Each structure stands twice: as structure tokens, then as C-alpha cells.
Amino acid sequence: MKTHSRVGILVAGMFLTGCLENNGGLEVAKDLNNSDFEVITDPADGNSSAGGVDVGPGPGTDPGAPSTGLPMFLINSDAKLTGNPLLMLEFDAPFHASDMKLSENATCEGGQWAAFIAARDYRSARINQNVPLSVQYRDHDGMVSDCFTKSIYIDTLPPEILYAKYPSTAVEEGLDVEIIFSVSDAGAGVASVTCEFSGVQKVCAAGENKVKLPKMAAGDYSFKVSATDKLGLASSKTVNFSVTSLYKQMVQSVKMNESKRVDILFVVDNSGSMAYEQKSMASRVQNFLGVVKGLDWQIAVTTTDPRNITLGDGRLVALTGKQNQFILTSNMDDADARTTLGKTLQRSETGSGSEQGIFAAYRAIERSISASGGNVNFVRDDSQLAVVLISDEDESANGVKNDPANLVSFVQSTYGGNKAFSFHSIIARPGDTACLNGEGYSAGHRYDAISKLTGGVIGDVCATDYAAQVQGIADGVRATLKTITLACAPVVDAMRSVAVLKDGQVYTGARTINGMNVAFSEMLPEGNYEVFYTCLK
């Protein structure tokens, strides 16, 4: 009871001092927004349709076919695009034909000869791709015509809408909100895009859009994007977020021991776009283990592939050259461990182009908890946890387990706030035009966000040498041992701060606040800690 009274006096005194220093008042934002927004568009490759089939010239034979003045074969009256796999074929032989042969390719190979017919229906089994068909004619004397080829793109999918940036946690009243999304359609192409916020609609565009919602007032909001392609197929996606001016008081109990245990998960992009970076991956990360030397570490590797396959869905990758082993440990020979890590990170397979590094880390932790396969015993109860992500593209899905804040909250709730967590990213950094115009496929907005949320290091995937940034990340991993990860990002201002008690007494060790992490300058002595802080609701 005495400890809690002392804590109450401490926290109350701290808040009172803040009030006095702020003249007892709190500044209130004025002219807050609840409906207006600004749209900045960046159409993909300068093409406002963001994809779409080139319809080419008007009716006529394909290039290379004999010129007779009339087409010898038509699909849907020579249309280049359709939303229906049921096609109408028209045939016009260059001579009086008795037979004809239709082939499901562009070379007239295969197919069966049948009696000539001027027109017929044809249902394609192939959709959402360009479908070539070819025909040959034969007369009564056995003379066979040239091969006539036509193709049509069958598109049954609406435009794809992908949010790259949006508020994943509550926003403080009076702040601006930025939403970044892209709209594309590989088939018909995008015809129209509409953005809607609080009942106000504005025209957006195909390609990338940046939307700014200035000075948000408190409330719950939805931002909706609707798109239609040139065949009339429609799609829409909505993100919901809240703005609040209310705070919640938090207290977090953490038991610290003097062990130097840290579990490190490398999440490496094994998609086709990473071929350039993968060529020298082993040499790029070779100095990592030297910096974490002296720690009781475990290291494992997974891929950004989200599919439920051997090398996907958060499964640990088997260590190269180590039969049925999935986890490197600090007990291994140093040279052997360096070689094994480098070879394991340098992936030879081509994984899914839907890279999902946050999802993969989430699933890897879940699999460790459930003792699934090679993931068993990877995340130890009394260790800290660090993730190192290497990718040239951003998170490619919008599910619950793709969200930065959800991953941090999952770690916190699973381990009762007793596990420090950091997420480090080697990515195409937002705003790095040189990388994005080079080997960087797309800016890693969400990886950037989760690294900032956990005080992680953000590196450059396009760098020819990773030595300096890998050392920085390894230093960041060591710093995780001197860190307490909070349940939410604390608000620190004239009236609110973070107070730390050790065994009931004020702990005055130097510290910095990095997102949701309280990073101390020195290792925390063994003991029971309580952290008092304020978060937005």
C-alpha cells in the first residue's frame, strides 16, 4: 500500500508541475477539419489508366498475316478486350474452303480439322490474360491456307486498390492525416476513381494517390476508394480510423533479469524483384554476428512469401548445410555461424511477388508459440526479440497481421509486456528517389512505420555495401536488451512524461523514447520495474 501511495504522489506531482508550467491550461486546436481533403495523384508511368490492354489499330488482320483487304478471322468483331469468356468467332477463308482447324494458340499447332463454318461461339477456359487463337483453312483439293491469328484479352477482374499508408492507430486531434493508395487494372485499364470522406466525394486517379486530411477533429472516420475499369467492373476499399483528444493512463510491470538473451528473426524478400540484391546477400551481412558477439543469441530466417508452402507463411528456413536445423545459436563456432547465416539468407528460389514481411514475422512468432515444425523454441520466454527485414517492396496486403501496430501489440499481449521488441528494415526508403528509380521496386512505407514505432534502424536496400547499416542494425539489436517496449506510443509533452520505478523507487537512468520503446543508455539492473505513461485512447 505504501508503494502505491508513493507512486500516486509521484505521478500526481509530475502532472501538477506540468500544469503550473503551462499556466494551468491546455492549448486547444481551432478550425478543425471533418470533411475537406486534398488529393495529389501520380499516375503510373504517366498513363492515367494504370495498366490496361493496348487496343491497337482498328479491324484487320494481325501483322504478318497475308493482306487480302478483308480479315480471314475475327474474335468479337476484332475487339481486343472483353469481360466475357464466351467469344464470338467469325471465319472468312481466302478460297472456297471445305474444312477448317481452330487452335488454342498463335501458331496453328494442334487442333482438329472440321467442316468449314462461317461463325461459332467459343468459351475460353483462360481468363484475366491475353488469349490467342489461330485458324487454317483447307479446300476440297487439300490445299491449306496460311495461319491466321487473332487474340483478345479476357478481363473479369475489377481494378485493384491497395493502401500503402493509412492511420493504423488513433490519431491525436488537430493533426494531419496522410493516406497513400494506388489503383491499377492490368486488363481493361482504369476508367474512373472516386475518393469519399465524410460524405464528400472527389475525383482521384489511377496510379498512386496521396490524400491529405488536415487538422482532424475528434471522431471515427472512414475513407473509401471506389474504382471502375473500362468494362464497367467495379471495386471499392475502405479504411477506418479514429481521431481522439482523450488520453488513457497506463502502468506496465516488467521483470528484468541480467541475461543477455535475444532472439533475432531475419525476414528476407525472396521474390523475383530481389534478384540483384540476392546476388551478394551473403557478403552484405557478413559482419552482423561480430557486432552481437557476447550475447546469448538465437537467429532464424524466414521469407516474405505469405503462401502456405514450405518456404512461406512464417515457417523458418532450414539452415543451409545443416540437416534439419532451423536456428543458429551463439554456441556455434563463429566462422561456421557466419558462413551458415550468409548462405541461408542468400535465397535461390523465386518466391511470391506478394511480399508480406510483417505478416511473415507475425506468423513466425505464432508458429514458435504453438511449437510448429522448425519454429519450435525459437522465441524464448526470457529473451528479447528483434526482427530484421530485407526487401525492395512494401507490405503487399492489408490484413490484420499486415498492420505494424498490430504486430507490436501482439508481441506485447502475448508476453505480458515483458518482452522488448524492435523491428529493423533494409528497404527502399520513402523519398529515396535514387533507389526507387534503380533497384528499389516500391517505397517501404509500412516497414518504415514499424521501425520508427519500435526504435528500429532503417537501412537502404539499394546500397552496394550493407556493412555500415548492418552494423547499425546489430547495434540496434544489442540496444533491445536495454529497452522496455510499451503497450502504446506514449504522449510526452509539458503535461505528460514517462516515469519509471525500480522495486518501488524512482529509477533515474538516462533514457530516450523511440516510438513505443523506452531505450535506456545502460543495461537495466535486475529487478521489478513499473512504467507509468500516458497514451491516446
Side-chain angles (χ1 to χ4, degrees):
M1 292 298 293
K2 291 181 180 179
T3 298
H4 289 293
S5 298
R6 191 161 50 245
V7 171
I9 293 171
L10 168 71
V11 176
M14 179 179 61
F15 288 163
L16 176 59
T17 301
C19 287
L20 291 174
E21 291 176 349
N22 200 38
N23 298 320
L26 189 64
E27 183 178 357
V28 178
K30 296 181 179 180
D31 299 324
L32 297 179
N33 172 60
N34 61 8
S35 63
D36 190 30
F37 62 100
E38 175 189 3
V39 181
I40 303 171
T41 62
D42 182 17
D45 300 325
N47 178 3
S48 62
S49 67
V53 175
D54 182 5
V55 297
T61 55
D62 280 353
S67 177
T68 63
L70 291 173
M72 301 293 105
F73 169 42
L74 294 177
I75 304 176
N76 286 12
S77 300
D78 214 27
K80 300 299 180 184
L81 177 71
T82 182
N84 192 337
L86 182 61
L87 308 175
M88 178 61 187
L89 310 184
E90 300 174 75
F91 307 99
D92 186 9
F95 47 69
H96 186 73
S98 62
D99 303 300
M100 59 184 289
K101 181 179 70 168
L102 180 68
S103 301
E104 298 179 350
N105 51 54
T107 61
C108 288
E109 295 180 0
Q112 299 292 327
W113 288 101
F116 174 81
I117 186 172
R120 59 164 289 192
D121 291 336
Y122 174 83
R123 180 173 293 276
S124 174
R126 292 173 289 178
I127 58 174
N128 302 312
Q129 60 182 291
N130 195 55
V131 177
L133 296 173
S134 56
V135 65
Q136 281 184 297
Y137 304 102
R138 185 170 64 186
D139 66 11
H140 291 279
D141 296 325
M143 184 177 73
V144 177
S145 73
D146 291 334
C147 179
F148 299 97
T149 299
K150 287 291 179 182
S151 65
I152 191 168
Y153 196 104
I154 302 176
D155 179 14
T156 64
L157 295 177
E160 181 182 24
I161 301 169
L162 181 63
Y163 286 94
K165 182 180 181 181
Y166 55 91
S168 57
T169 57
V171 178
E172 186 175 2
E173 184 178 55
L175 296 182
D176 297 345
V177 168
E178 183 178 65
I179 296 174
I180 300 176
F181 67 91
S182 61
V183 182
S184 61
D185 191 287
V190 179
S192 65
V193 182
T194 302
C195 297
E196 182 176 346
F197 174 64
S198 293
V200 176
Q201 289 189 350
K202 291 189 178 182
V203 175
C204 292
E208 183 177 276
N209 295 257
K210 295 181 181 179
V211 174
K212 290 191 175 181
L213 313 174
K215 295 184 178 180
M216 294 300 300
D220 295 323
Y221 296 94
S222 293
F223 182 84
K224 180 180 180 181
V225 178
S226 301
T228 304
D229 69 12
K230 295 175 183 177
L231 289 172
L233 298 172
S235 60
S236 65
K237 278 192 177 179
T238 300
V239 292
N240 300 306
F241 62 95
S242 62
V243 178
T244 178
S245 60
L246 303 178
Y247 298 95
K248 55 185 177 181
Q249 306 301 320
M250 305 289 293
V251 58
Q252 185 168 326
S253 299
V254 181
K255 183 177 179 62
M256 300 296 296
N257 55 50
E258 294 184 349
S259 73
K260 297 182 178 180
R261 289 189 168 189
V262 59
D263 299 323
I264 306 164
L265 175 67
F266 277 86
V267 183
V268 62
D269 187 343
N270 63 342
S271 68
S273 67
M274 279 285 290
Y276 171 79
E277 292 86 349
Q278 283 286 358
K279 287 180 181 178
S280 55
M281 187 64 72
S283 62
R284 289 173 184 239
V285 299
Q286 61 182 350
N287 63 330
F288 182 84
L289 294 186
V291 184
V292 297
K293 191 172 183 178
L295 303 181
D296 179 0
W297 52 257
Q298 289 191 156
I299 295 178
V301 178
T302 190
T303 73
T304 57
D305 196 322
R307 296 174 296 176
N308 189 17
I309 58 175
T310 302
L311 295 177
D313 195 30
R315 291 176 174 85
L316 298 187
V317 173
L319 300 177
T320 301
K322 307 290 183 183
Q323 188 173 6
N324 294 324
Q325 292 186 42
F326 298 85
I327 301 172
L328 284 168
T329 71
S330 53
N331 295 325
M332 294 179 63
D333 174 75
D334 184 62
D336 184 25
R338 287 173 185 257
T339 300
T340 302
L341 177 61
K343 289 182 178 180
T344 305
L345 286 172
Q346 192 157 320
R347 309 307 308 156
S348 60
E349 75 279 351
T350 300
S352 170
S354 178
E355 299 95 324
Q356 298 179 38
I358 296 173
F359 174 87
Y362 202 119
R363 292 289 293 129
I365 298 168
E366 285 186 323
R367 289 182 179 278
S368 178
I369 294 168
S370 64
S372 172
N375 295 55
V376 62
N377 296 327
F378 171 58
V379 182
R380 296 168 290 183
D381 288 339
D382 58 349
S383 70
Q384 313 303 358
L385 177 62
V387 173
V388 181
L389 179 283
I390 305 174
S391 177
D392 66 345
E393 188 170 356
D394 199 13
E395 190 85 358
S396 298
N398 298 319
V400 171
K401 296 179 183 180
N402 303 103
D403 186 272
N406 287 349
L407 174 56
V408 182
S409 296
F410 169 64
V411 174
Q412 283 301 95
S413 62
T414 299
Y415 298 99
N418 275 284
K419 188 178 292 294
F421 176 62
S422 60
F423 194 106
H424 310 270
S425 304
I426 299 179
I427 55 174
R429 295 173 292 194
D432 187 348
T433 54
C435 181
L436 292 171
N437 290 333
E439 299 299 332
Y441 192 82
S442 69
H445 290 285
R446 269 183 272 181
Y447 300 137
D448 178 79
I450 193 171
S451 292
K452 290 176 178 175
L453 198 61
T454 60
V457 176
I458 302 171
D460 176 15
V461 75
C462 293
T464 55
D465 184 3
Y466 287 1
Q469 56 196 26
V470 165
Q471 178 166 342
I473 288 174
D475 286 334
V477 170
R478 292 188 72 97
T480 305
L481 295 170
K482 301 180 288 185
T483 296
I484 295 176
T485 298
L486 304 179
C488 49
V491 177
V492 179
D493 56 24
M495 296 186 64
R496 287 163 283 269
S497 63
V498 176
V500 181
L501 271 63
K502 175 184 179 294
D503 299 325
Q505 302 296 320
V506 175
Y507 183 75
T508 58
R511 75 206 70 163
T512 57
I513 308 297
N514 299 317
M516 295 171 66
N517 279 349
V518 183
F520 294 85
S521 59
E522 303 293 338
M523 294 286 291
L524 291 171
E526 184 174 354
N528 295 311
Y529 291 78
E530 289 180 299
V531 186
F532 296 84
Y533 56 102
T534 303
C535 291
L536 292 169
K537 282 187 177 179

